[in-house]
């Protein structure tokens, strides 16, 4: 929805449905509340009504969510069949089945259907289903994949051992008993190697949702049964008329090689899919295996997963931090690159937060555990990745629709091919009509269509997680591919988020910069104001000893006054100085010059005379200018959006090379700025980290939230950066665009392969064995192209 008129259109579409009592659409919240008679119109009917109006919707109810791990899916049509059955089941509000991840995400009403019934429903369809809560999804997927790799390898080797002599014997001149020998070799291939295809095709036909295995079983079984019938018939004819030598050609080698080559392809595909799913395992392997917990003052080595909230544990140099916590004692440098993507170690002191699984490179730390188990940053990243990998971006919908109708269409086309060739050349129907129909059945491959998107999402999200980029929605990929503008919040996003001393200007003869800073910091030391703390921090960084202070007084929002070495020191704003009658004399120009450069200026007065100026500013984050320039090189315009004053904002924009500035903007007005850009035809990314950024992040086409910010901002963003480094934005854009390119490449090759290969097979230009090899290669090609994402340098 883009305007109030959209909301009204949807509301009318819902209200027109029979069984709807009332409908109310909230444009701002992007929701619709509908009262309806469930016996006359279901929740899914309401979703379809919204779709017919030109929008998309899903049911957001008080229902529960469950993740099911599914065994036995062999192609996209399997996933489509399960998904369709689940969605049409009463009590299921929404369902999404991921073929590549072998899982299903199901929203259901517990009052109508139970988790046990959902699992039983999937088992009735010929598959196995387990709750993801019983065991980790990635562990299940890896175990399932490893088992399939072993099974497919063994089946391929058996097929190869039997098919190789079959091929040799079929090329030799006919000799007595040859066809019976061929039958003996082909039968184990057909019913042992091919059992998986026969079993799966029967199960799919029972539920009237034919899948890829139906095509394989039909193709190989047709060639085998025809050849077996010819062999038996020829034996009978020889018995009746001894001495007859001529018999029709048999195709045992064709049926055997079809199954052997397709099993080879399936083995290679599972190996490639195993590589695509290793990102999750790699993340979990980052976790520390053990911890040195302090109990009664003594170190006790225990497993890291046994650490409880509140426990104190020691981390020595070279050891991994057991779990998330706060440093209680000690100082050190911690390498957080495996979580945040930042290359430089971060210095930690008491009071600083540390992340579990990161590496302590220098110094000993005593840490108090604050989050354990599923609450840790690492586990939340893994769970988010699992959820994202279970999603499908809109670009996959076309492939899903094609896959749903593909198998029935191919069966019809194979029948038409057989009929056409039979009518054209009835004398050679077995070598023309039969062989070409089998080739059509075997060449078709919806597997590649089903693997095109999820494998790229799996590999790309794993790569992103290793660089501190968390993709919260798979749909964000398409938005990233179309971006034209990046809108930046200022404080905490492009700047470090706290003021720092930038210039110290003594105005009294003989007064050094160090002495001026010492006097100001001594007076400010007891103040909690951010500017006061920045001045005190600058003195500490210069190793300046502070002077004794008496009569300290904080003047809220304006400055401080105190007696230092018996002299009255006043540090504060221009207004405070003027209020106390302290003249700027000829120094007003210098004050204005510092302010024009984007600084906040504090005057320092001693005994009623201005003795110096201290300029402070929220400094740009390292590398921010380079990031803006790199985005510009990618064709993306940057805009600065801030509630700060215009002079400061424009000074920062000039330093960073940002051409457009919106300053002094209230939080609710930030949404209007984003909306205005969208109305101009721009596709907008918003980068922010604060509560006041959350509405703008939600309004933007792509919200990028810094993980260093507030929880509400992180929740509002579609992409979350674990660190606050602006380089993460560039990495996120590059990764998202590259993932989208690979998805488009995968879909192109999957569609192109079928569009080109099926007509060639129907016209008689493809031998069934070549078709089987090509079909197997197509899925491997798609997965291999997805794996190329791992080479991307971020």
């Amino acid at each position: 929805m883009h305007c109030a008129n959209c909301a009204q259109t949807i509301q009318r579409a819902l209200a027109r449905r029979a069984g709807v009592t009332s409908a109310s659409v909230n444009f701002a919240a992007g929701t619709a509340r509908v009262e309806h008679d469930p016996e006359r119109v279901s929740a899914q009917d309401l979703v379809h009504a919204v779709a017919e109006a030109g929008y998309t919707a899903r049911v957001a109810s008080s229902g529960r969510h469950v993740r099911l791990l599914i065994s036995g899916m062999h192609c996209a049509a399997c996933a489509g069949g399960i998904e369709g059955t689940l969605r049409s089941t009463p009590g299921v509000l929404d369902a999404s089945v991921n073929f590549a991840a072998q899982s299903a995400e199901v929203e259901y009403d517990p009052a109508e259907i139970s988790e046990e019934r959902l699992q039983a429903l999937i088992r009735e369809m010929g598959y196995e289903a387990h709750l993801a809560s019983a065991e980790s999804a990635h562990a299940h997927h890896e175990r399932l994949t490893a088992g399939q790799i072993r099974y497919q390898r063994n089946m391929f080797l058996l097929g190869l051992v039997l098919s190789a002599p079959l091929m040799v014997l079929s090329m030799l001149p006919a000799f007595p008993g040859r066809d019976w020998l061929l039958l003996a070799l082909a039968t184990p291939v057909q019913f042992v190697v091919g059992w998986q295809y026969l079993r799966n095709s029967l199960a799919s036909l029972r539920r009237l949702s034919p899948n890829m295995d139906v095509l394989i079983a039909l193709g190989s079984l047709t060639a085998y049964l025809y050849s077996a019938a010819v062999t038996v018939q020829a034996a009978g004819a020889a018995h009746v008329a001894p001495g007859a030598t001529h018999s029709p050609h048999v195709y045992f080698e064709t049926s055997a090689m079809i199954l052997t080559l397709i099993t080879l392809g399936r083995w290679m595909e599972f190996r490639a899919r195993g590589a695509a799913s290793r990102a999750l395992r790699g993340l979990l392997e980052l976790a520390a295996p053990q911890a040195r917990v302090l109990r009664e003052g003594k170190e006790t080595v225990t497993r890291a997963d046994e650490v409880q909230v509140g426990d104190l544990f020691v981390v020595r140099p070279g050891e991994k931090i057991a779990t998330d916590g706060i440093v209680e004692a000690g100082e050190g440098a911690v390498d957080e690159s495996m979580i945040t993507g930042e290359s430089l170690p971060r210095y930690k002191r008491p009071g600083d937060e540390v992340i579990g699984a990161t590496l302590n490179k220098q110094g000993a730390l005593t840490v108090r555990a604050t989050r354990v188990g599923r609450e840790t940053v690492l586990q939340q990243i893994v769970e988010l990745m699992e959820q994202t990998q279970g999603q499908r971006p809109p670009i996959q919908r076309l492939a899903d629709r094609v896959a749903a109708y593909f198998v029935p269409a191919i069966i019809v086309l194979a029948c038409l091919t057989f009929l056409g060739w039979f009518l054209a050349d009835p004398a050679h129907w077995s070598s023309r009509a039969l062989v070409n129909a089998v080739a059509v059945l075997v060449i078709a491959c919806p597997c590649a269509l089903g693997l095109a998107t999820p494998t790229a999402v799996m590999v790309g999200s794993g790569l992103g997680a290793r660089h501190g980029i968390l993709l919260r929605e798979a749909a964000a990929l398409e938005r990233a591919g179309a971006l034209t503008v990046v809108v930046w919040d200022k404080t905490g996003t492009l700047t470090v988020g706290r003021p720092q001393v930038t210039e110290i200007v003594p105005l009294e003869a003989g007064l050094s910069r160090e002495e001026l800073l010492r006097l100001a910091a001594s007076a400010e030391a007891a103040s909690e104001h951010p500017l006061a703390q920045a001045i005190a921090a600058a003195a500490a960084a210069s190793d300046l000893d502070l002077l004794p202070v008496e009569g300290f007084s904080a003047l809220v929002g304006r400055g401080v006054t105190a007696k230092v070495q018996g002299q009255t020191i006043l540090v504060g704003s221009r207004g405070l100085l003027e209020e106390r009658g302290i003249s700027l004399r000829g120094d007003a120009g210098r004050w204005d010059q510092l302010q024009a450069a984007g600084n906040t200026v504090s005057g320092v007065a001693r005994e009623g005379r201005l003795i110096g100026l201290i300029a402070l500013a929220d400094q740009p984050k390292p590398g921010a200018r380079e990031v803006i320039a790199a985005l510009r090189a990618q064709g993306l315009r940057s805009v600065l959006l801030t509630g700060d004053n215009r002079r400061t904002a424009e000074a920062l924009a000039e330093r960073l090379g940002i051409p457009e500035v919106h300053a002094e903007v209230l939080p609710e007005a930030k949404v209007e700025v984003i909306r205005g850009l969208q109305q101009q035809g721009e596709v907008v990314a918003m980068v922010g980290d604060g509560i006041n950024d959350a509405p703008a992040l939600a309004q933007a086409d792509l919200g990028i939230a810094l993980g260093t910010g507030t929880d509400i901002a992180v929740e509002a963003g579609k992409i979350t950066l674990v660190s606050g480094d602006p380089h993460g934005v560039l990495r996120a854009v590059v990764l998202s665009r590259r993932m989208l390119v690979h998805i488009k490449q995968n879909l192109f090759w999957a569609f192109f392969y079928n569009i080109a290969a099926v007509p060639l097979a129907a016209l008689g230009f493809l031998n069934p064995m070549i078709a089987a090899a090509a079909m197997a290669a197509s899925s491997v090609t798609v997965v291999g192209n997805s794996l190329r994402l791992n080479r991307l340098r971020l």
Side-chain angles (χ1 to χ4, degrees), residues 18 105 146 152 157 185 198 368 378 398 449 458 484 490 548 575 599 633 652 696 699 766:
E105 306 283 344
Q152 301 298 344
L157 292 176
L185 290 169
L198 295 169
R368 185 175 299 279
L378 181 64
L398 176 61
L449 291 175
M458 288 170 73
T484 58
K490 183 181 81 72
N599 294 292
L652 177 69
Q699 173 65 36
L766 283 180

Side-chain angles (χ1 to χ4, degrees), residues 204-215:
S204 71
L205 288 172
R206 274 201 306 269
R207 58 180 181 270
L208 300 178
S209 58
N211 60 17
M212 182 63 208
D213 289 336
V214 172
L215 303 181

Side-chain angles (χ1 to χ4, degrees), residues 262-621:
I262 288 175
T263 304
L264 169 63
R266 196 159 277 187
W267 175 31
M268 294 171 66
E269 179 190 313
F270 272 106
R271 289 184 63 185
R273 281 164 60 184
S277 68
R278 284 186 199 126
L280 284 175
R281 185 183 69 188
L283 275 176
L284 285 174
E285 286 176 350
L286 294 174
Q290 60 185 29
R292 302 177 185 274
V293 180
L294 287 175
R295 300 227 164 96
E296 299 178 356
K298 295 181 180 178
E299 287 185 22
T300 302
V301 177
T302 183
R303 281 175 29 200
D305 57 9
E306 293 178 354
V307 176
Q308 301 295 313
V309 172
D311 282 351
L312 283 173
F313 60 92
V314 175
V315 188
R316 294 175 179 169
E319 294 180 344
K320 287 186 175 182
I321 295 170
T323 191
D324 298 2
I326 293 177
V327 177
E328 292 283 325
E331 297 182 356
V334 177
D335 180 1
E336 297 183 341
S337 59
M338 67 280 290
I339 298 292
T340 66
E342 293 183 352
S343 56
L344 296 176
R346 286 188 172 185
Y347 189 73
K348 302 291 182 180
R349 54 171 63 90
D352 288 345
E353 289 190 5
V354 290
I355 303 172
T358 55
L359 180 66
N360 181 22
K361 301 196 77 171
Q362 183 182 6
L365 301 174
T366 301
V367 180
R368 185 175 299 279
T370 56
R371 289 187 294 266
V372 298
R374 293 184 62 184
E375 300 300 316
T376 63
V377 169
L378 181 64
Q379 283 290 346
Q380 287 177 0
I381 289 173
V382 170
E383 287 187 17
L384 180 60
M385 281 181 61
E386 289 177 342
Q387 291 170 15
T388 303
Q389 291 177 357
Q391 298 172 355
R392 284 172 299 183
I395 196 173
Q396 178 68 13
R397 290 175 188 157
L398 176 61
D400 291 343
R401 285 197 295 270
V402 169
Y405 296 104
F406 193 81
V407 175
I410 289 298
I411 293 173
V412 171
L413 182 60
C415 293
L416 292 174
T417 300
F418 179 87
L419 183 62
W421 281 102
F422 179 81
L423 294 174
D425 190 3
H428 301 93
W429 71 271
S430 64
S431 62
R432 305 295 294 273
L434 181 68
V435 169
N436 293 339
V438 168
V440 169
L441 288 169
V442 173
I443 195 68
C445 186
C447 293
L449 291 175
L451 291 168
T453 298
T455 52
V457 172
M458 288 170 73
V459 175
S461 59
L463 177 63
R466 293 198 298 273
H467 287 83
I469 304 163
L470 305 182
L471 193 68
R472 300 181 66 84
E473 282 188 11
L477 295 173
E478 291 181 55
R479 298 180 195 135
L483 286 180
T484 58
V485 173
V486 179
V487 177
W488 298 83
D489 170 54
K490 183 181 81 72
T491 306
T493 302
L494 282 175
T495 64
V496 294
R498 59 183 183 277
Q500 295 176 332
V501 173
T502 56
E503 282 198 57
I504 302 169
V505 184
L507 299 175
E508 192 175 75
L511 180 66
S512 68
R513 297 172 71 256
E514 290 75 14
E515 188 59 26
L516 175 62
L517 180 59
R518 189 200 307 271
L519 285 170
S522 299
E524 296 270 31
S527 173
E528 296 180 355
H529 193 279
L531 295 179
Q533 292 179 349
I535 292 172
S542 299
D543 293 326
L544 299 177
D545 295 326
L546 300 185
L547 303 168
V549 174
E550 297 176 356
F552 170 82
S553 175
L555 308 169
V556 180
R558 294 180 295 161
V560 302
T561 181
K563 281 196 173 289
V564 180
Q565 292 182 322
Q567 295 180 311
T568 300
I569 302 294
L570 184 146
V571 184
S573 67
R574 191 169 188 165
L576 177 63
L577 295 176
E578 291 172 348
E579 178 187 311
R580 295 297 175 95
I582 299 172
S583 172
L584 299 185
R585 300 189 308 277
D587 301 314
R590 182 60 172 145
W591 191 302
D592 293 339
Q593 185 182 4
L594 291 171
Q595 271 194 328
N599 294 292
T600 298
V601 183
S602 286
V604 183
R606 180 167 55 187
E607 295 296 327
R609 295 189 327 276
L610 185 67
I611 62 171
L613 304 175
I614 297 180
L616 304 100
D618 187 3
Q619 294 291 85
K621 286 183 176 178

